[in-house]
Amino acid sequence: MSKIAIIGYCQTVALLNAIGSWRQSLRRDLTTENPNIDAPFGWENVNTKGRLFDITSIDEFPEFCGAKFCLLNSETHPAAHFKKNEAGELSIDCTYELRQFLVDVADFDVIVSVINGSELSRATYLPDFDIFPYEDIDAERPPIDGLYVNQWTQQSVSWVEACLFVMRHFQPHKKIIHVAPPPPLLIMGKNGKYTPLRSSIRIKIHRENMKMMRQITSKLNIDFIEERLEAFTTDGFLKPEFDDGYGRGNIEFGRLTARKIIELI
């Protein structure tokens, strides 16, 4: 049976909830001031220093028996990123947390990366615009060149690429699976966590993200879990019954992801 290690940010919770029990392990092992890890937000800010924690898998997913997880948080965001020196040469800055994780999983068979998440949250700072294929002609909603969105999206996914590059560099022969975040909801909530951009623009940006991630993972010989069709509408949006109320996948979405992982290992 494959020994599985999982690493990621808050989007990881849907997968962990589906696999089994994990919060008690985090609560027991953390040497911090009693974080409320049952809350939907806040506990992610606990600095776990890249440490591994135990998952007690349920009977439905025996393949995850012995799996461990590492939760990253805002203090370690991004876990790695590209930078240029004065000569214009590219290098990668990698955090202690990511390096520690890769050392600790040296004897694991599979790494599951959920190092991504709400890339669309950055779209909060974009003006209301339209990109091809255009919805309508509206003087208040100027069309912009798709190249702009392509460049913006490249910046959005570059830190994920850097993290995956580091993983592949340190583990050149290991099975690595990268899990895509869910697409946006057609109708977003009103809790202040969502971008004001229209649904048609959100889905176009998400598709551009996914196109780039397919190219990145293919180049690095990393399996990419993108489609969980049962959770998507015909237009590619996340169905409300697979949303956790905060624009992230819920436990049902996590179950679909777990099954996709099992198919690949």
Side-chain angles (χ1 to χ4, degrees):
M1 182 176 292
S2 297
K3 194 174 179 182
I4 303 171
I6 302 168
I7 183 171
Y9 293 86
C10 62
Q11 292 283 359
T12 316
V13 170
L15 176 60
L16 296 179
N17 285 342
I19 293 170
S21 174
W22 59 275
R23 293 176 187 264
Q24 282 301 112
S25 171
L26 189 63
R27 183 182 288 111
R28 181 177 61 249
D29 292 347
L30 282 177
T31 55
T32 56
E33 296 182 0
N34 300 317
N36 181 13
I37 63 171
D38 295 314
F41 289 101
W43 57 264
E44 310 99 304
N45 295 323
V46 174
N47 194 343
T48 58
K49 300 292 185 181
R51 292 165 54 199
L52 291 176
F53 296 90
D54 295 324
I55 308 170
T56 303
S57 59
I58 61 174
D59 292 343
E60 182 182 353
F61 296 116
E63 294 86 355
F64 289 93
C65 180
K68 293 183 181 289
F69 69 93
C70 172
L71 280 176
L72 300 175
N73 53 67
S74 59
E75 293 184 29
T76 60
H77 180 85
H81 67 275
F82 293 105
K83 67 174 184 179
K84 283 185 178 180
N85 61 19
E86 294 181 356
E89 298 169 327
L90 272 180
S91 62
I92 295 180
D93 263 353
C94 180
T95 61
Y96 164 84
E97 285 77 9
L98 182 55
R99 291 196 303 270
Q100 183 62 49
F101 168 79
L102 291 170
V103 168
D104 291 343
V105 302
D107 64 338
F108 281 66
D109 304 300
V110 180
I111 294 176
V112 176
S113 159
V114 200
I115 294 185
N116 55 28
S118 303
E119 284 87 359
L120 283 172
S121 63
R122 293 185 59 217
T124 302
Y125 305 103
L126 292 175
D128 193 17
F129 59 87
D130 204 358
I131 55 177
F132 183 83
Y134 303 118
E135 301 164 55
D136 49 44
I137 302 299
D138 187 338
E140 300 299 322
R141 188 176 294 156
I144 64 171
D145 194 321
L147 180 61
Y148 172 82
V149 175
N150 180 277
Q151 293 171 339
W152 180 86
T153 306
Q154 180 61 58
Q155 294 175 353
S156 177
V157 303
S158 65
W159 72 274
V160 182
E161 179 180 10
C163 293
L164 295 178
F165 184 92
V166 170
M167 288 185 190
R168 179 51 76 208
H169 175 75
F170 280 93
Q171 304 289 351
H173 307 297
K174 195 180 294 294
K175 180 81 165 178
I176 301 177
I177 301 170
H178 183 64
V179 179
L185 290 159
L186 178 60
I187 301 176
M188 305 301 277
K190 298 180 180 180
N191 62 6
K193 297 293 181 181
Y194 300 126
T195 167
L197 285 178
R198 303 182 318 284
S199 58
S200 59
I201 297 298
R202 291 196 305 269
I203 198 67
K204 290 176 186 178
I205 293 175
H206 175 77
R207 288 168 182 160
E208 188 68 19
N209 263 287
M210 294 302 98
K211 182 177 75 174
M212 290 187 179
M213 287 310 308
R214 286 193 294 272
Q215 295 169 346
I216 290 167
T217 51
S218 176
K219 178 177 63 178
L220 295 174
N221 192 27
I222 290 173
D223 290 307
F224 185 43
I225 294 178
E226 176 185 355
E227 293 185 343
R228 283 143 286 186
L229 296 178
E230 301 94 324
F232 301 162
T233 68
T234 55
D235 293 327
F237 291 96
L238 182 66
K239 293 178 181 177
E241 58 265 36
F242 290 92
D243 170 51
D244 74 340
Y246 295 90
R248 305 176 300 193
N250 61 15
I251 189 170
E252 294 302 325
F253 190 79
R255 289 191 179 102
L256 295 178
T257 301
R259 295 183 190 117
K260 289 288 187 182
I261 293 170
I262 292 168
E263 291 176 7
L264 292 172
I265 60 177

